[in-house]
Each structure stands twice: as structure tokens, then as C-alpha cells.
Amino acid sequence: MTATATALEFAALHERLHADLMAHARKPGIREEFGEDRVVPAADALLRLAFARLTKPGVVVLNAALLSVVDGYIQEIGMAERDDVDLAGYLGVAAAKHSALTAAACELGAPAAGASRNQADHLRRFGDDIGLARKHVDGVLALHDDVVDGCRGLPLVAAAAGAGDGRTWCEQQAELLLARGLDHLRQAGPVEADEPAGFARTVATGRCAAVVPPQPAGR
């Protein structure tokens, strides 16, 4: 594993630890298992290890992505206290939280494949689109729990905004984002595209195929 890949893995773990801390009110997680006083220092140590493995330009890219994630969480907290959040605002938060790290990973990994700056830009856009497509699919997968828990997931927000059936809308948006991302991947050629294209389909629209909507009791 290259130093860049290791750094990105550490950064992703750092983000997941903080995400779990933020979600503790909804379900038991790592806070309950280990305690915040142990989780936060562990997350900070992972971030230091990540930065130590990157060059200065790489640190700038990764730091900007993590700041985007933090900004997304801050906006999300503010939205939870409001009733007037529109779909565009919700999508902005989703992009900040779920696209930034994926885009940064694709951009930082490009030099390892000998990519030019132009190719790296297309790969970054590929990662950005796939990250947001994955969020749409996550919303579909969490729809039943969101309804039960009274949470405003993306399908419910879309439906309230007049987008029709929220689940269908999210699936369609995921398909469109995947197609746009794969187009950027093609434009980034000549890179080996089959593996990242297959991975993108798996983490995005491929997960929708296995979803069976919960059936009402008595059927």
C-alpha cells in the first residue's frame, strides 16, 4: 500500500470515528463502547498519521476535504432545528459530508498512476459524483428506519419538496450521478478504468437492486 493510500485510510477512519460520535444519540456506537475521552484522541492520532504520510500539496487537498466534512456536519446540526430547509440546501450538506473525501482520494491517488493534472481533475470529479451517488443510495437503504425514527432522510426531503416518490427520485439521481462520474472517468483516459468503474457501480446503484421495501403487516 502506498503512503498516499495509507494516509487516506487513516483519514477515512478519523472521519468515521467522529461520524459515529455525532450519531450516538440515534443508536449505540463507539462512544458507548470506548468512551469519548478515548475515541477523540484516537481520531486525532489517525489524522496526524495521515498528514505525516503526505506531501505538502497532499496535506492541503486532504485538509480542505476534511474541513468540508466538518462544515457539512455544522450545517446539518443547524438544519435539524429548522423546518424550512429546501432540497438544494440538503443536497449541499450531503455533498460536503459525503463527496469531499471521495473526491480527494481520487485526486490524490491520480499521481500514483502517472496521471496528468487534467486527468487528476477528471478523477476528482469522478470521485465527487460517486460520493454523492452513494449518499442517494444510502438514503434509499435507510428510508424505512428514517420513517420509523422520524428522521428527515434524503428521500423524505425530496418527496416533501415535490420531487414525487422520494425513493424513485433518489435512485434516478444516483443513476445520473453515476453516469456523469463514469464520463469523467472516461475523459481521464488513458487510465485503467474497468476496476474503478465496477467499484463505482457497486457502491452506488448496485446496492439498490437488493433493496426490498418493507411490506405492511398482514401481507
Side-chain angles (χ1 to χ4, degrees):
M1 182 180 289
T2 67
T4 298
T6 303
L8 290 165
E9 183 67 21
F10 285 152
L13 289 172
H14 161 87
E15 192 277 330
R16 287 313 308 156
L17 288 176
H18 279 291
D20 196 87
L21 289 176
M22 295 291 292
H24 80 283
R26 183 172 178 181
K27 60 181 180 180
I30 200 165
R31 179 196 293 261
E32 290 72 23
E33 183 72 21
F34 298 104
E36 184 174 347
D37 58 338
R38 296 174 66 185
V39 176
V40 172
D44 290 344
L46 286 167
L47 187 57
R48 288 194 296 271
L49 289 170
F51 285 151
R53 283 160 173 77
L54 295 173
T55 62
K56 185 175 180 178
V59 169
V60 172
V61 171
L62 179 57
N63 190 55
L66 291 171
L67 286 175
S68 176
V69 174
V70 171
D71 182 61
Y73 276 112
I74 292 172
Q75 291 185 60
E76 187 175 57
I77 292 171
M79 288 195 316
E81 301 172 354
R82 296 165 47 198
D83 295 323
D84 60 343
V85 179
D86 60 14
L87 182 56
Y90 195 93
L91 287 173
V93 169
K97 287 179 57 181
H98 300 279
S99 292
L101 271 178
T102 308
C106 291
E107 180 180 1
L108 292 175
S116 66
R117 181 66 258 175
N118 181 62
Q119 288 175 307
D121 288 342
H122 279 298
L123 290 171
R124 178 182 181 84
R125 294 187 181 99
F126 161 76
D128 191 49
D129 287 334
I130 299 310
L132 192 53
R134 185 182 64 179
K135 173 56 180 175
H136 280 79
V137 175
D138 286 345
V140 171
L141 297 177
L143 179 54
H144 176 68
D145 289 340
D146 285 344
V147 172
V148 171
D149 296 341
C151 297
R152 291 188 297 181
L154 184 51
L156 297 178
V157 173
D165 180 84
R167 172 180 172 168
T168 300
W169 183 86
C170 283
E171 290 176 342
Q172 291 172 341
Q173 291 300 305
E175 290 281 2
L176 291 171
L177 287 161
L178 174 62
R180 190 171 70 181
L182 293 178
D183 184 59
H184 279 300
L185 188 61
R186 285 189 291 270
Q187 292 184 66
V191 296
E192 189 60 44
D194 289 344
E195 185 172 347
F199 176 75
R201 291 189 180 92
T202 298
V203 301
T205 58
R207 292 184 296 145
C208 281
V211 178
V212 178
Q215 296 298 312
R219 286 193 177 183

